[in-house]
Amino acid sequence: MEEKIYKRPAGLQDNINGYCPGCFHPGIGKLIMSVMEEFDLLERSVMVDGIGCVASNMSYIGIDELNTPHGRPCAVASAIKRCSPETIVVTYQGDGDLASIGLAETMMAANRGDNISVFFVNNANYGMTGGQMAPTTLMGMKTSTTPYGRNAQEHGYPMHMCEVLNTLTAPSYLARVTLIDVPHIKKAREAVKQAIQHQLDGKGFSMVEFVSNCPTNWGLTPQESIQFIKDKMLPEFPLGEFRNR
Amino acid sequence: MERVVMKGCEAIAEAAIRAGCRFFAGYPITPQNEVPEYFSRKMPKVGGVYLQGESETASAAMLYGAGCTGIRAMTSSSSCGISLMSEAIAWMAGANLPVVICNVMRGGPGIGSIQPSQQDYFQATKASGNGGFRMLVLAPSTLQEAVDMVYSAFDLAMKYKNPVLVLADGFTGAMMEPVVLPPAKSEEFLAAERKENEAWACTGRKGAAQRHHLGCGVVPGMATRMPLEEKNKLDFAKYESWKTTEVDYEDYQTEDAELIITAYGVAGRISRSAVDLLRADGYKVGLIRPRKIHPFPEIAFEKLDYSKLRGILSCEMSIPPQYYYDVDAVVRRRTPIATCLRSGGEIISRNAIIEEAKKLYGAK
Ligand SMILES: Cc1ncc(C[n+]2csc(CCOP(=O)(O)OP(=O)(O)O)c2C)c(N)n1
Ligand code: SF4
């Protein structure tokens, strides 16, 4: 008798995703949906998408879903949660969305301790618009708007959102994870579970930051992009749980 | 029906709560601070949500989120604050969300002045954001009208699945006047409406056959987007339908009038009393005052007998004028149009209107 040990999570639509080959985005979406399924939340959750490659989710995610103005997911999600407290509300945002144009919305939702879960995809650039500099772009990294590499004098330094939000009192769960191999994927899934559990327990603002890749705009193969994460991204963005209470 | 003396902004907030508004987000800006302050006091008592946004941009985004849950929801601001909201206003129009926005106008452009003005007419009626969407725009000239219009704005928003803008001004917001407050909508009514709105709200599938997706280019209740041009056409048809269903204006003493004064909002109120004084003086003068400035009441001007008219005096608190151009577009040079204008926070004076009217009227 064969036993089914792996299947497509029920929270994904039956579409083929159009993300670039090797991109972590679809894997992250799948993790979130598999946790939703495990917690039996598919019928009572809504995903609030930012603008960017993140918004391509609308073709894959099977739960209720909103598109929102660029950077505003945390404000939108805070209002949904307060109007409909029984709904599990998650956001899905890139680094341009969450840490640049939406920085105020992110900080203030975290500071209010709004009971939402934020999934933050840090790929060190603006993926959708062609790989421009993001607040998370590494020092020296070439992007389409830092053709000579990011330098401190002109562009300042990469922003560390887990560390920044960890200076606030209200957030209840903050973790940084990645998806470079199976052990890390397992840890990432555990972090997603924690974030959702914090929301179920009414503890307030939770965020999981995914150190992600963008093979297309980094000009690397999927395999090389994983090596780049190990060599360059993780030293700048250390993994771990920053807050759990 | 309760008759009370209230300050404009507080009466606006009370009318909204009685209309069933259960979500408000806003950011401080004069001359409408009493609106959010009133909501912050009252919302906890009616089981509603009050949220102080970190900016107008965020407050309007919060309204977008609340609107997506099918609740009756509102924000208010003033002029330059509304500019910051234009992002989410365009999104709410694109997503067909039933929300109410109140602009208590102040001087402009930019930071302008905190005093009353009517300098946001184009913004309100033509482009409160990108993409060519339209809203119903209600323009109260008295506190009673402000209360009644805010009350009806929520029904209109739900009926048409469209943002509705109440365009008040700092004068109406700041003055105290006796008003009759409408009855509060019952909790049963509001609960039933919210239940009905589950047909499209984004609060979890709850066993529905398909998920809900809201955003620009999506008809509420659909699982995903439609071609944007198709969506634009659907919205256009809705805007066009308002020309037969939603035109609303006051026609005052126009029957035998040889001169028409036209104005909206607070300038309309002052113009009305100018008409009374001119009539007492033997001038055959009438008033056309749109209660909704979008859709514009073209019919009010079309049905005039231009062979009898000496002219039209268009009054507003905006320099350069804005409302004037809509009047001009429908009158099409069939009679001379003069203007009486103030701006930058200065209140238009009845005497100035009377003087301009007499000049245009000529010999009695
Ligand atoms: C107000 C506004 N400004 C700019 C854009 C253009 N834009 C679309 S996607 C995007 C980049 C998003 O980058 P990020 O948040 O890092 O997400 P990613 O694409 O990398 O997943 C930008 C700037 C927009 N849609 N709206
Ligand atoms: S552009 Fe980058 S982030 Fe976007 S799908 Fe492609 S690889 Fe992923």
Side-chain angles (χ1 to χ4, degrees), chain B residues 269-303:
Chain B
R269 177 185 192 152
I270 297 166
S271 297
R272 197 180 199 279
S273 96
V275 167
D276 288 340
L277 289 183
L278 284 161
R279 280 272 170 187
D281 229 2
Y283 291 91
K284 288 183 179 169
V285 180
L287 174 77
I288 293 175
R289 180 179 68 83
R291 278 186 282 255
K292 286 196 186 83
I293 50 175
H294 189 264
F296 189 80
E298 289 172 12
I299 183 69
F301 295 90
E302 284 303 342
K303 69 181 196 197

PDB file of all heavy atoms in Angstrom, chain B residues 269-303:
ATOM      1  N   ARG B 269     -25.333  79.024   0.505  1.00  0.00           N
ATOM      2  CA  ARG B 269     -26.157  79.505   1.610  1.00  0.00           C
ATOM      3  C   ARG B 269     -26.174  81.035   1.640  1.00  0.00           C
ATOM      4  O   ARG B 269     -27.227  81.658   1.805  1.00  0.00           O
ATOM      5  CB  ARG B 269     -25.570  78.964   2.917  1.00  0.00           C
ATOM      6  CG  ARG B 269     -26.284  79.458   4.134  1.00  0.00           C
ATOM      7  CD  ARG B 269     -25.577  78.971   5.386  1.00  0.00           C
ATOM      8  NE  ARG B 269     -26.435  79.216   6.548  1.00  0.00           N
ATOM      9  CZ  ARG B 269     -26.410  78.488   7.639  1.00  0.00           C
ATOM     10  NH1 ARG B 269     -25.592  77.479   7.757  1.00  0.00           N
ATOM     11  NH2 ARG B 269     -27.219  78.782   8.644  1.00  0.00           N
ATOM     12  N   ILE B 270     -25.003  81.628   1.475  1.00  0.00           N
ATOM     13  CA  ILE B 270     -24.899  83.094   1.513  1.00  0.00           C
ATOM     14  C   ILE B 270     -25.617  83.687   0.295  1.00  0.00           C
ATOM     15  O   ILE B 270     -26.318  84.700   0.394  1.00  0.00           O
ATOM     16  CB  ILE B 270     -23.414  83.511   1.597  1.00  0.00           C
ATOM     17  CG1 ILE B 270     -22.818  82.993   2.915  1.00  0.00           C
ATOM     18  CG2 ILE B 270     -23.253  85.025   1.500  1.00  0.00           C
ATOM     19  CD1 ILE B 270     -21.300  83.026   2.988  1.00  0.00           C
ATOM     20  N   SER B 271     -25.497  83.003  -0.839  1.00  0.00           N
ATOM     21  CA  SER B 271     -26.166  83.472  -2.060  1.00  0.00           C
ATOM     22  C   SER B 271     -27.680  83.455  -1.895  1.00  0.00           C
ATOM     23  O   SER B 271     -28.392  84.336  -2.396  1.00  0.00           O
ATOM     24  CB  SER B 271     -25.786  82.582  -3.246  1.00  0.00           C
ATOM     25  OG  SER B 271     -24.410  82.679  -3.498  1.00  0.00           O
ATOM     26  N   ARG B 272     -28.179  82.450  -1.191  1.00  0.00           N
ATOM     27  CA  ARG B 272     -29.629  82.340  -0.999  1.00  0.00           C
ATOM     28  C   ARG B 272     -30.154  83.557  -0.237  1.00  0.00           C
ATOM     29  O   ARG B 272     -31.207  84.123  -0.576  1.00  0.00           O
ATOM     30  CB  ARG B 272     -29.941  81.065  -0.222  1.00  0.00           C
ATOM     31  CG  ARG B 272     -31.389  80.620  -0.296  1.00  0.00           C
ATOM     32  CD  ARG B 272     -31.539  79.336   0.533  1.00  0.00           C
ATOM     33  NE  ARG B 272     -32.722  78.558   0.210  1.00  0.00           N
ATOM     34  CZ  ARG B 272     -33.926  78.817   0.675  1.00  0.00           C
ATOM     35  NH1 ARG B 272     -34.122  79.853   1.473  1.00  0.00           N
ATOM     36  NH2 ARG B 272     -34.954  78.057   0.344  1.00  0.00           N
ATOM     37  N   SER B 273     -29.398  83.978   0.752  1.00  0.00           N
ATOM     38  CA  SER B 273     -29.886  85.130   1.511  1.00  0.00           C
ATOM     39  C   SER B 273     -29.699  86.414   0.701  1.00  0.00           C
ATOM     40  O   SER B 273     -30.471  87.366   0.840  1.00  0.00           O
ATOM     41  CB  SER B 273     -29.267  85.163   2.915  1.00  0.00           C
ATOM     42  OG  SER B 273     -28.165  85.995   2.974  1.00  0.00           O
ATOM     43  N   ALA B 274     -28.715  86.433  -0.214  1.00  0.00           N
ATOM     44  CA  ALA B 274     -28.582  87.576  -1.130  1.00  0.00           C
ATOM     45  C   ALA B 274     -29.806  87.650  -2.046  1.00  0.00           C
ATOM     46  O   ALA B 274     -30.324  88.743  -2.337  1.00  0.00           O
ATOM     47  CB  ALA B 274     -27.299  87.443  -1.948  1.00  0.00           C
ATOM     48  N   VAL B 275     -30.280  86.489  -2.501  1.00  0.00           N
ATOM     49  CA  VAL B 275     -31.474  86.446  -3.357  1.00  0.00           C
ATOM     50  C   VAL B 275     -32.667  87.061  -2.629  1.00  0.00           C
ATOM     51  O   VAL B 275     -33.414  87.881  -3.192  1.00  0.00           O
ATOM     52  CB  VAL B 275     -31.783  84.993  -3.800  1.00  0.00           C
ATOM     53  CG1 VAL B 275     -33.180  84.886  -4.417  1.00  0.00           C
ATOM     54  CG2 VAL B 275     -30.732  84.513  -4.800  1.00  0.00           C
ATOM     55  N   ASP B 276     -32.839  86.700  -1.352  1.00  0.00           N
ATOM     56  CA  ASP B 276     -33.969  87.249  -0.566  1.00  0.00           C
ATOM     57  C   ASP B 276     -33.903  88.779  -0.513  1.00  0.00           C
ATOM     58  O   ASP B 276     -34.908  89.458  -0.710  1.00  0.00           O
ATOM     59  CB  ASP B 276     -33.949  86.679   0.856  1.00  0.00           C
ATOM     60  CG  ASP B 276     -34.372  85.214   0.876  1.00  0.00           C
ATOM     61  OD1 ASP B 276     -35.020  84.775  -0.107  1.00  0.00           O
ATOM     62  OD2 ASP B 276     -34.033  84.511   1.848  1.00  0.00           O
ATOM     63  N   LEU B 277     -32.710  89.314  -0.245  1.00  0.00           N
ATOM     64  CA  LEU B 277     -32.578  90.774  -0.133  1.00  0.00           C
ATOM     65  C   LEU B 277     -32.794  91.449  -1.483  1.00  0.00           C
ATOM     66  O   LEU B 277     -33.435  92.501  -1.574  1.00  0.00           O
ATOM     67  CB  LEU B 277     -31.202  91.141   0.428  1.00  0.00           C
ATOM     68  CG  LEU B 277     -30.997  90.797   1.911  1.00  0.00           C
ATOM     69  CD1 LEU B 277     -29.627  91.261   2.386  1.00  0.00           C
ATOM     70  CD2 LEU B 277     -32.080  91.432   2.783  1.00  0.00           C
ATOM     71  N   LEU B 278     -32.268  90.836  -2.548  1.00  0.00           N
ATOM     72  CA  LEU B 278     -32.447  91.416  -3.887  1.00  0.00           C
ATOM     73  C   LEU B 278     -33.923  91.389  -4.290  1.00  0.00           C
ATOM     74  O   LEU B 278     -34.446  92.350  -4.864  1.00  0.00           O
ATOM     75  CB  LEU B 278     -31.603  90.641  -4.905  1.00  0.00           C
ATOM     76  CG  LEU B 278     -30.098  90.952  -4.872  1.00  0.00           C
ATOM     77  CD1 LEU B 278     -29.298  89.848  -5.557  1.00  0.00           C
ATOM     78  CD2 LEU B 278     -29.797  92.306  -5.517  1.00  0.00           C
ATOM     79  N   ARG B 279     -34.598  90.309  -3.967  1.00  0.00           N
ATOM     80  CA  ARG B 279     -36.035  90.199  -4.263  1.00  0.00           C
ATOM     81  C   ARG B 279     -36.811  91.306  -3.527  1.00  0.00           C
ATOM     82  O   ARG B 279     -37.692  91.950  -4.110  1.00  0.00           O
ATOM     83  CB  ARG B 279     -36.567  88.833  -3.817  1.00  0.00           C
ATOM     84  CG  ARG B 279     -36.275  87.716  -4.786  1.00  0.00           C
ATOM     85  CD  ARG B 279     -37.377  87.617  -5.847  1.00  0.00           C
ATOM     86  NE  ARG B 279     -36.993  86.699  -6.918  1.00  0.00           N
ATOM     87  CZ  ARG B 279     -37.693  86.515  -8.031  1.00  0.00           C
ATOM     88  NH1 ARG B 279     -38.804  87.193  -8.247  1.00  0.00           N
ATOM     89  NH2 ARG B 279     -37.289  85.684  -8.960  1.00  0.00           N
ATOM     90  N   ALA B 280     -36.444  91.502  -2.245  1.00  0.00           N
ATOM     91  CA  ALA B 280     -37.125  92.528  -1.438  1.00  0.00           C
ATOM     92  C   ALA B 280     -36.924  93.911  -2.055  1.00  0.00           C
ATOM     93  O   ALA B 280     -37.754  94.806  -1.890  1.00  0.00           O
ATOM     94  CB  ALA B 280     -36.597  92.496  -0.010  1.00  0.00           C
ATOM     95  N   ASP B 281     -35.819  94.012  -2.798  1.00  0.00           N
ATOM     96  CA  ASP B 281     -35.480  95.277  -3.449  1.00  0.00           C
ATOM     97  C   ASP B 281     -36.085  95.372  -4.852  1.00  0.00           C
ATOM     98  O   ASP B 281     -35.793  96.313  -5.597  1.00  0.00           O
ATOM     99  CB  ASP B 281     -33.944  95.339  -3.562  1.00  0.00           C
ATOM    100  CG  ASP B 281     -33.406  96.662  -3.055  1.00  0.00           C
ATOM    101  OD1 ASP B 281     -34.214  97.484  -2.584  1.00  0.00           O
ATOM    102  OD2 ASP B 281     -32.178  96.863  -3.152  1.00  0.00           O
ATOM    103  N   GLY B 282     -36.822  94.342  -5.264  1.00  0.00           N
ATOM    104  CA  GLY B 282     -37.502  94.387  -6.559  1.00  0.00           C
ATOM    105  C   GLY B 282     -36.742  93.763  -7.711  1.00  0.00           C
ATOM    106  O   GLY B 282     -37.174  93.846  -8.859  1.00  0.00           O
ATOM    107  N   TYR B 283     -35.590  93.123  -7.424  1.00  0.00           N
ATOM    108  CA  TYR B 283     -34.846  92.459  -8.502  1.00  0.00           C
ATOM    109  C   TYR B 283     -35.381  91.039  -8.676  1.00  0.00           C
ATOM    110  O   TYR B 283     -35.542  90.311  -7.692  1.00  0.00           O
ATOM    111  CB  TYR B 283     -33.347  92.406  -8.157  1.00  0.00           C
ATOM    112  CG  TYR B 283     -32.669  93.752  -8.183  1.00  0.00           C
ATOM    113  CD1 TYR B 283     -32.584  94.530  -7.034  1.00  0.00           C
ATOM    114  CD2 TYR B 283     -32.108  94.233  -9.362  1.00  0.00           C
ATOM    115  CE1 TYR B 283     -31.966  95.770  -7.038  1.00  0.00           C
ATOM    116  CE2 TYR B 283     -31.481  95.476  -9.381  1.00  0.00           C
ATOM    117  CZ  TYR B 283     -31.412  96.234  -8.226  1.00  0.00           C
ATOM    118  OH  TYR B 283     -30.797  97.446  -8.245  1.00  0.00           O
ATOM    119  N   LYS B 284     -35.623  90.674  -9.922  1.00  0.00           N
ATOM    120  CA  LYS B 284     -36.107  89.307 -10.180  1.00  0.00           C
ATOM    121  C   LYS B 284     -34.898  88.371 -10.296  1.00  0.00           C
ATOM    122  O   LYS B 284     -34.326  88.204 -11.382  1.00  0.00           O
ATOM    123  CB  LYS B 284     -36.939  89.277 -11.454  1.00  0.00           C
ATOM    124  CG  LYS B 284     -38.293  89.947 -11.292  1.00  0.00           C
ATOM    125  CD  LYS B 284     -39.092  89.813 -12.556  1.00  0.00           C
ATOM    126  CE  LYS B 284     -40.459  90.456 -12.373  1.00  0.00           C
ATOM    127  NZ  LYS B 284     -41.146  90.574 -13.669  1.00  0.00           N
ATOM    128  N   VAL B 285     -34.540  87.831  -9.152  1.00  0.00           N
ATOM    129  CA  VAL B 285     -33.321  87.021  -9.059  1.00  0.00           C
ATOM    130  C   VAL B 285     -33.667  85.643  -8.503  1.00  0.00           C
ATOM    131  O   VAL B 285     -34.553  85.513  -7.650  1.00  0.00           O
ATOM    132  CB  VAL B 285     -32.306  87.717  -8.121  1.00  0.00           C
ATOM    133  CG1 VAL B 285     -31.037  86.903  -7.993  1.00  0.00           C
ATOM    134  CG2 VAL B 285     -31.976  89.101  -8.641  1.00  0.00           C
ATOM    135  N   GLY B 286     -33.007  84.605  -9.001  1.00  0.00           N
ATOM    136  CA  GLY B 286     -33.212  83.248  -8.485  1.00  0.00           C
ATOM    137  C   GLY B 286     -31.871  82.570  -8.207  1.00  0.00           C
ATOM    138  O   GLY B 286     -30.809  83.101  -8.538  1.00  0.00           O
ATOM    139  N   LEU B 287     -31.960  81.397  -7.586  1.00  0.00           N
ATOM    140  CA  LEU B 287     -30.738  80.676  -7.194  1.00  0.00           C
ATOM    141  C   LEU B 287     -30.764  79.245  -7.714  1.00  0.00           C
ATOM    142  O   LEU B 287     -31.782  78.554  -7.596  1.00  0.00           O
ATOM    143  CB  LEU B 287     -30.633  80.642  -5.663  1.00  0.00           C
ATOM    144  CG  LEU B 287     -29.490  79.802  -5.076  1.00  0.00           C
ATOM    145  CD1 LEU B 287     -28.153  80.531  -5.205  1.00  0.00           C
ATOM    146  CD2 LEU B 287     -29.746  79.461  -3.613  1.00  0.00           C
ATOM    147  N   ILE B 288     -29.669  78.811  -8.280  1.00  0.00           N
ATOM    148  CA  ILE B 288     -29.470  77.377  -8.550  1.00  0.00           C
ATOM    149  C   ILE B 288     -28.320  76.923  -7.673  1.00  0.00           C
ATOM    150  O   ILE B 288     -27.203  77.433  -7.780  1.00  0.00           O
ATOM    151  CB  ILE B 288     -29.159  77.108 -10.038  1.00  0.00           C
ATOM    152  CG1 ILE B 288     -30.390  77.426 -10.894  1.00  0.00           C
ATOM    153  CG2 ILE B 288     -28.739  75.648 -10.232  1.00  0.00           C
ATOM    154  CD1 ILE B 288     -30.142  77.302 -12.393  1.00  0.00           C
ATOM    155  N   ARG B 289     -28.622  75.979  -6.780  1.00  0.00           N
ATOM    156  CA  ARG B 289     -27.600  75.523  -5.831  1.00  0.00           C
ATOM    157  C   ARG B 289     -27.527  73.990  -5.871  1.00  0.00           C
ATOM    158  O   ARG B 289     -28.415  73.308  -5.363  1.00  0.00           O
ATOM    159  CB  ARG B 289     -27.953  75.989  -4.412  1.00  0.00           C
ATOM    160  CG  ARG B 289     -26.923  75.550  -3.372  1.00  0.00           C
ATOM    161  CD  ARG B 289     -27.282  76.043  -1.993  1.00  0.00           C
ATOM    162  NE  ARG B 289     -28.473  75.419  -1.456  1.00  0.00           N
ATOM    163  CZ  ARG B 289     -28.489  74.237  -0.848  1.00  0.00           C
ATOM    164  NH1 ARG B 289     -27.381  73.552  -0.694  1.00  0.00           N
ATOM    165  NH2 ARG B 289     -29.630  73.749  -0.384  1.00  0.00           N
ATOM    166  N   PRO B 290     -26.476  73.457  -6.487  1.00  0.00           N
ATOM    167  CA  PRO B 290     -26.338  71.992  -6.494  1.00  0.00           C
ATOM    168  C   PRO B 290     -26.145  71.476  -5.066  1.00  0.00           C
ATOM    169  O   PRO B 290     -25.322  72.015  -4.325  1.00  0.00           O
ATOM    170  CB  PRO B 290     -25.066  71.745  -7.309  1.00  0.00           C
ATOM    171  CG  PRO B 290     -24.788  73.020  -8.031  1.00  0.00           C
ATOM    172  CD  PRO B 290     -25.365  74.117  -7.200  1.00  0.00           C
ATOM    173  N   ARG B 291     -26.933  70.442  -4.716  1.00  0.00           N
ATOM    174  CA  ARG B 291     -26.666  69.756  -3.442  1.00  0.00           C
ATOM    175  C   ARG B 291     -25.633  68.659  -3.682  1.00  0.00           C
ATOM    176  O   ARG B 291     -24.843  68.346  -2.811  1.00  0.00           O
ATOM    177  CB  ARG B 291     -27.958  69.202  -2.860  1.00  0.00           C
ATOM    178  CG  ARG B 291     -28.760  70.251  -2.103  1.00  0.00           C
ATOM    179  CD  ARG B 291     -29.957  69.654  -1.399  1.00  0.00           C
ATOM    180  NE  ARG B 291     -31.020  69.416  -2.349  1.00  0.00           N
ATOM    181  CZ  ARG B 291     -32.119  70.177  -2.443  1.00  0.00           C
ATOM    182  NH1 ARG B 291     -32.306  71.185  -1.601  1.00  0.00           N
ATOM    183  NH2 ARG B 291     -33.044  69.901  -3.331  1.00  0.00           N
ATOM    184  N   LYS B 292     -25.688  68.065  -4.868  1.00  0.00           N
ATOM    185  CA  LYS B 292     -24.577  67.188  -5.295  1.00  0.00           C
ATOM    186  C   LYS B 292     -23.838  67.945  -6.391  1.00  0.00           C
ATOM    187  O   LYS B 292     -24.462  68.409  -7.344  1.00  0.00           O
ATOM    188  CB  LYS B 292     -25.095  65.867  -5.853  1.00  0.00           C
ATOM    189  CG  LYS B 292     -25.626  64.899  -4.809  1.00  0.00           C
ATOM    190  CD  LYS B 292     -25.743  63.492  -5.394  1.00  0.00           C
ATOM    191  CE  LYS B 292     -26.406  62.529  -4.417  1.00  0.00           C
ATOM    192  NZ  LYS B 292     -27.882  62.625  -4.459  1.00  0.00           N
ATOM    193  N   ILE B 293     -22.520  68.036  -6.252  1.00  0.00           N
ATOM    194  CA  ILE B 293     -21.759  68.702  -7.320  1.00  0.00           C
ATOM    195  C   ILE B 293     -21.196  67.683  -8.314  1.00  0.00           C
ATOM    196  O   ILE B 293     -20.709  68.043  -9.367  1.00  0.00           O
ATOM    197  CB  ILE B 293     -20.655  69.630  -6.762  1.00  0.00           C
ATOM    198  CG1 ILE B 293     -19.794  68.914  -5.739  1.00  0.00           C
ATOM    199  CG2 ILE B 293     -21.285  70.889  -6.181  1.00  0.00           C
ATOM    200  CD1 ILE B 293     -18.630  69.744  -5.249  1.00  0.00           C
ATOM    201  N   HIS B 294     -21.254  66.399  -7.960  1.00  0.00           N
ATOM    202  CA  HIS B 294     -21.113  65.355  -8.975  1.00  0.00           C
ATOM    203  C   HIS B 294     -22.133  64.283  -8.676  1.00  0.00           C
ATOM    204  O   HIS B 294     -22.146  63.784  -7.573  1.00  0.00           O
ATOM    205  CB  HIS B 294     -19.717  64.739  -9.036  1.00  0.00           C
ATOM    206  CG  HIS B 294     -19.600  63.848 -10.232  1.00  0.00           C
ATOM    207  ND1 HIS B 294     -19.793  62.490 -10.154  1.00  0.00           N
ATOM    208  CD2 HIS B 294     -19.398  64.140 -11.547  1.00  0.00           C
ATOM    209  CE1 HIS B 294     -19.692  61.985 -11.371  1.00  0.00           C
ATOM    210  NE2 HIS B 294     -19.460  62.959 -12.225  1.00  0.00           N
ATOM    211  N   PRO B 295     -23.027  63.933  -9.608  1.00  0.00           N
ATOM    212  CA  PRO B 295     -23.140  64.466 -10.961  1.00  0.00           C
ATOM    213  C   PRO B 295     -23.589  65.932 -10.958  1.00  0.00           C
ATOM    214  O   PRO B 295     -24.433  66.326 -10.152  1.00  0.00           O
ATOM    215  CB  PRO B 295     -24.210  63.577 -11.599  1.00  0.00           C
ATOM    216  CG  PRO B 295     -25.042  63.104 -10.449  1.00  0.00           C
ATOM    217  CD  PRO B 295     -24.085  62.944  -9.313  1.00  0.00           C
ATOM    218  N   PHE B 296     -23.037  66.714 -11.875  1.00  0.00           N
ATOM    219  CA  PHE B 296     -23.368  68.132 -11.972  1.00  0.00           C
ATOM    220  C   PHE B 296     -24.796  68.290 -12.524  1.00  0.00           C
ATOM    221  O   PHE B 296     -25.151  67.631 -13.500  1.00  0.00           O
ATOM    222  CB  PHE B 296     -22.372  68.833 -12.904  1.00  0.00           C
ATOM    223  CG  PHE B 296     -22.516  70.331 -12.896  1.00  0.00           C
ATOM    224  CD1 PHE B 296     -21.962  71.091 -11.880  1.00  0.00           C
ATOM    225  CD2 PHE B 296     -23.228  70.980 -13.899  1.00  0.00           C
ATOM    226  CE1 PHE B 296     -22.106  72.471 -11.862  1.00  0.00           C
ATOM    227  CE2 PHE B 296     -23.379  72.362 -13.896  1.00  0.00           C
ATOM    228  CZ  PHE B 296     -22.817  73.107 -12.867  1.00  0.00           C
ATOM    229  N   PRO B 297     -25.613  69.160 -11.899  1.00  0.00           N
ATOM    230  CA  PRO B 297     -27.019  69.267 -12.320  1.00  0.00           C
ATOM    231  C   PRO B 297     -27.192  70.087 -13.602  1.00  0.00           C
ATOM    232  O   PRO B 297     -27.712  71.205 -13.574  1.00  0.00           O
ATOM    233  CB  PRO B 297     -27.679  69.945 -11.122  1.00  0.00           C
ATOM    234  CG  PRO B 297     -26.598  70.764 -10.527  1.00  0.00           C
ATOM    235  CD  PRO B 297     -25.314  70.021 -10.760  1.00  0.00           C
ATOM    236  N   GLU B 298     -26.778  69.517 -14.719  1.00  0.00           N
ATOM    237  CA  GLU B 298     -26.866  70.230 -15.997  1.00  0.00           C
ATOM    238  C   GLU B 298     -28.294  70.662 -16.299  1.00  0.00           C
ATOM    239  O   GLU B 298     -28.530  71.760 -16.822  1.00  0.00           O
ATOM    240  CB  GLU B 298     -26.334  69.336 -17.126  1.00  0.00           C
ATOM    241  CG  GLU B 298     -24.837  69.161 -17.045  1.00  0.00           C
ATOM    242  CD  GLU B 298     -24.317  68.134 -18.024  1.00  0.00           C
ATOM    243  OE1 GLU B 298     -25.072  67.730 -18.919  1.00  0.00           O
ATOM    244  OE2 GLU B 298     -23.148  67.738 -17.872  1.00  0.00           O
ATOM    245  N   ILE B 299     -29.237  69.805 -15.939  1.00  0.00           N
ATOM    246  CA  ILE B 299     -30.643  70.053 -16.258  1.00  0.00           C
ATOM    247  C   ILE B 299     -31.133  71.378 -15.663  1.00  0.00           C
ATOM    248  O   ILE B 299     -31.947  72.077 -16.270  1.00  0.00           O
ATOM    249  CB  ILE B 299     -31.522  68.854 -15.777  1.00  0.00           C
ATOM    250  CG1 ILE B 299     -32.994  69.037 -16.160  1.00  0.00           C
ATOM    251  CG2 ILE B 299     -31.414  68.616 -14.305  1.00  0.00           C
ATOM    252  CD1 ILE B 299     -33.227  68.942 -17.643  1.00  0.00           C
ATOM    253  N   ALA B 300     -30.599  71.733 -14.485  1.00  0.00           N
ATOM    254  CA  ALA B 300     -31.026  72.985 -13.847  1.00  0.00           C
ATOM    255  C   ALA B 300     -30.741  74.179 -14.752  1.00  0.00           C
ATOM    256  O   ALA B 300     -31.505  75.152 -14.790  1.00  0.00           O
ATOM    257  CB  ALA B 300     -30.289  73.153 -12.516  1.00  0.00           C
ATOM    258  N   PHE B 301     -29.660  74.109 -15.529  1.00  0.00           N
ATOM    259  CA  PHE B 301     -29.285  75.210 -16.421  1.00  0.00           C
ATOM    260  C   PHE B 301     -29.912  75.044 -17.803  1.00  0.00           C
ATOM    261  O   PHE B 301     -30.189  76.021 -18.485  1.00  0.00           O
ATOM    262  CB  PHE B 301     -27.753  75.303 -16.521  1.00  0.00           C
ATOM    263  CG  PHE B 301     -27.100  75.661 -15.212  1.00  0.00           C
ATOM    264  CD1 PHE B 301     -26.697  74.675 -14.325  1.00  0.00           C
ATOM    265  CD2 PHE B 301     -26.935  76.996 -14.847  1.00  0.00           C
ATOM    266  CE1 PHE B 301     -26.121  75.010 -13.110  1.00  0.00           C
ATOM    267  CE2 PHE B 301     -26.362  77.326 -13.629  1.00  0.00           C
ATOM    268  CZ  PHE B 301     -25.954  76.333 -12.750  1.00  0.00           C
ATOM    269  N   GLU B 302     -30.117  73.776 -18.198  1.00  0.00           N
ATOM    270  CA  GLU B 302     -30.730  73.519 -19.511  1.00  0.00           C
ATOM    271  C   GLU B 302     -32.161  74.038 -19.565  1.00  0.00           C
ATOM    272  O   GLU B 302     -32.626  74.491 -20.594  1.00  0.00           O
ATOM    273  CB  GLU B 302     -30.707  72.021 -19.837  1.00  0.00           C
ATOM    274  CG  GLU B 302     -29.354  71.492 -20.276  1.00  0.00           C
ATOM    275  CD  GLU B 302     -28.775  72.208 -21.491  1.00  0.00           C
ATOM    276  OE1 GLU B 302     -29.530  72.891 -22.213  1.00  0.00           O
ATOM    277  OE2 GLU B 302     -27.548  72.104 -21.703  1.00  0.00           O
ATOM    278  N   LYS B 303     -32.862  73.939 -18.451  1.00  0.00           N
ATOM    279  CA  LYS B 303     -34.283  74.284 -18.507  1.00  0.00           C
ATOM    280  C   LYS B 303     -34.542  75.785 -18.326  1.00  0.00           C
ATOM    281  O   LYS B 303     -35.696  76.222 -18.362  1.00  0.00           O
ATOM    282  CB  LYS B 303     -35.070  73.444 -17.500  1.00  0.00           C
ATOM    283  CG  LYS B 303     -34.814  73.763 -16.064  1.00  0.00           C
ATOM    284  CD  LYS B 303     -35.645  72.847 -15.169  1.00  0.00           C
ATOM    285  CE  LYS B 303     -35.689  73.424 -13.764  1.00  0.00           C
ATOM    286  NZ  LYS B 303     -36.120  72.455 -12.769  1.00  0.00           N
TER     287      LYS B 303
END
